[in-house]
Amino acid sequence: MTSTVTAATVSKNFGAYQDAAVREPVIITKNGRPRTVLIAYEDYVRLAKHDRRVELSVMLGDDDLAAIEASRMEPGLDHLNAELLTEKHAAD
């Protein structure tokens, strides 16, 4: 279960909340709204590994766009194209 505490409470007893964050995330609120989360370093590293950088296609250069256009799907992954063509995934 995640703990939720005020920033003022955390500042008064930071060490205890550091220890608590090793066991579970601690949500810290300010003015009644969640603002930050205190988590264990190991959890941060795990999450950071899954972080993806997303860029807009308009930010790509001509060389990048040419490489994308020239790329081909690996054999055995054609079923992924079929998923894109289903009504469920169709753009509005």
Side-chain angles (χ1 to χ4, degrees):
M1 185 173 163
T2 303
S3 300
T4 302
V5 294
T6 66
T9 302
V10 171
S11 69
K12 291 177 186 172
N13 202 357
F14 188 71
Y17 288 103
Q18 275 187 305
D19 293 341
V22 171
R23 295 185 299 276
E24 64 182 7
V26 177
I27 299 171
I28 303 169
T29 63
K30 185 170 183 180
N31 298 324
R33 296 183 179 164
R35 184 158 187 212
T36 57
V37 178
L38 188 62
I39 61 172
Y41 178 74
E42 291 80 13
D43 291 337
Y44 167 75
V45 170
R46 181 180 50 80
L47 291 169
K49 285 181 182 178
H50 296 290
D51 188 22
R52 294 183 183 173
R53 186 174 179 172
V54 177
E55 295 183 16
L56 298 174
S57 58
V58 296
M59 298 173 67
L60 296 173
D62 290 339
D63 291 342
D64 295 322
L65 291 172
I68 292 169
E69 289 174 359
S71 66
R72 297 291 171 251
M73 183 79 77
E74 290 183 26
L77 298 177
D78 291 331
H79 66 282
L80 298 175
N81 284 333
E83 285 185 27
L84 294 173
L85 300 175
T86 63
E87 240 181 81
K88 181 172 92 175
H89 295 94
D92 293 341

